[in-house]
Amino acid sequence: MCVVGLGGSGLACIDECLHAGASVVGLDAARVGGAAAGRNGGLLRAGSSLFHHEARARYGRERAARIYAATVSERERVMARLPAIARRCGYLRLAQDEAEARDCRAQLQALAGDGFEAGWYDGSLGVGLLVRGDAAIDPLARCRAEAAAVGAAGARLFEGSAVRRLEPGLVHTDDGTVRCRAIVVAVDGALARLLPELEDRVWPMRLQMLASGPHHRILPHAVGTRWGWDYAQQRDDGTIAFGGCRDVGGDAERTNDAEPTAPVQAALERRFEEVLGVRPSVTHRWAATVGYTADGLPVLEEVRPGIWAIGGYSGTGNLLGAVCGRAAARLALGVQRASPLE
Ligand SMILES: Cc1cc2nc3c(=O)[nH]c(=O)nc-3n(C[C@H](O)[C@H](O)[C@H](O)COP(=O)(O)OP(=O)(O)OC[C@H]3O[C@@H](n4cnc5c(N)ncnc54)[C@H](O)[C@@H]3O)c2cc1C
């Protein structure tokens, strides 16, 4: 097997290939976790990019529940594998007004109706929906730990190896060609660059964050607010990672350029203060590119003979990306027939 892209999705794919007994080569144009998988908010939030009641309405109840359950399993796998860097802090969807509070209740009802854990929050931050089982992680430490584990288990990983061209059974880089039985392309926001046939289905989007701190304990939970536009986690050392405000950037955020911009960063500072009640003391600013799709569901399919594409998690890929990576491995190796997204 050859897996292109060494973010969380590609690394999970490699792990699954090894479990199935395959030999694996993994390639990355830059570094392990060098793109979004190592530079994100670190929220391990179960589900797809849509709130569960919306996912039920759009994908159907059984399908939405299957996707949610798959991400819960992946969350538990991460918690079990990486207890030193994952924190079971819960995920709070904080309502910013009455309308969002009503929507949180609808989400709670849908989750409970499908047997998933969730409760109502009424506390120092306001009101909203709390999923206590959800977690937060240092995303780069996660990628590095996963890469070390698959490397120790026999995967051959090559950083600094940009893939230029793909043919069935052949992966071309500047330094050589990998011959393999099947290929999984796990490059999320860069999918259409390698596989132009996906151009209309997965497009790049820049997401931005800042880090502040350390602060006194403000956030007992990882938080998403303003209908999911903004999100944050506070680490044990008191520092806070705060992201979002993509709506402020508008169409300019639909880009492969991963540089932070002044308007979005200024909006992040304002939102930080509104939500957390303190001014940020900014230590870092960053951005990365992810893949978006029209219906919010990722691509997981064989796009050319023996060439599988995964990506387009629409900004929520820490768990869903790994779910797709594992499924792509099993589908490509013929040990599974049905996609968990179907
Ligand atoms: C600021 C920000 C905050 C976010 N917050 C969260 C969050 O809190 N929770 C959550 O679930 N999701 C979050 N996300 C989304 C999440 O980061 C992504 O969905 C997920 O990391 C995608 O992982 P991946 O491995 O599929 O892709 P990536 O991390 O993009 O990895 C793809 C890899 O492919 C490599 N690559 C690209 N082109 C080539 C090529 N031609 N040849 C070889 N290699 C190539 C890249 O170098 C990269 O390392 C956030 C994203 C951002 C940017």
Side-chain angles (χ1 to χ4, degrees), residues 3-12 27-47 91 135 139 142-143 158 160-165 171-173 185-191 193-194 205-210 231-233 242-244 286-292 310-322:
V3 177
V4 183
L6 299 177
S9 314
L11 290 164
L27 304 173
D28 198 288
R31 313 248 346 236
V32 164
R39 303 165 63 79
N40 66 60
L43 275 57
L44 298 179
R45 178 172 82 71
Y91 169 78
R142 174 196 180 189
C143 291
F158 298 89
S161 301
V163 171
R164 305 293 182 201
R165 205 159 49 80
V171 180
H172 301 283
T173 74
V185 184
V187 300
D188 194 20
L191 262 185
R193 284 180 164 180
L194 265 180
M205 191 73 79
R206 174 172 54 204
L207 304 182
Q208 304 196 31
M209 297 196 73
L210 57 77
Y231 43 88
Q233 68 152 306
F242 194 100
W286 70 96
T289 307
V290 299
Y292 268 66
I310 55 171
Y313 314 107
S314 300
T316 310
N318 279 343
L319 296 174
L320 193 55

Side-chain angles (χ1 to χ4, degrees), residues 80-215:
R81 276 167 73 111
L82 303 172
I85 55 171
R87 290 179 299 121
R88 179 92 65 184
C89 54
Y91 169 78
L92 170 63
R93 179 184 169 199
L94 190 61
Q96 77 152 6
D97 54 25
E98 264 307 308
E100 190 169 7
R102 277 195 299 280
D103 201 65
C104 288
R105 288 205 185 276
Q107 185 182 357
L108 174 57
Q109 206 175 10
L111 285 169
D114 283 341
F116 297 119
E117 175 270 315
W120 189 249
Y121 171 89
D122 188 344
S124 58
L125 296 166
V127 297
L129 170 98
L130 178 60
V131 179
R132 289 193 180 277
D134 280 350
I137 200 165
D138 173 337
L140 183 57
R142 174 196 180 189
C143 291
R144 287 180 174 162
E146 299 284 8
V150 297
R156 283 167 292 163
L157 307 185
F158 298 89
E159 297 182 317
S161 301
V163 171
R164 305 293 182 201
R165 205 159 49 80
L166 296 162
E167 299 174 60
L170 295 174
V171 180
H172 301 283
T173 74
D174 291 340
D175 298 322
T177 295
V178 180
R179 290 170 200 283
C180 51
R181 174 172 150 196
I183 302 162
V184 177
V185 184
V187 300
D188 194 20
L191 262 185
R193 284 180 164 180
L194 265 180
L195 297 165
E197 57 266 57
L198 293 174
E199 202 166 61
D200 294 338
R201 293 177 51 201
V202 185
W203 55 87
M205 191 73 79
R206 174 172 54 204
L207 304 182
Q208 304 196 31
M209 297 196 73
L210 57 77
S212 170
H215 295 266

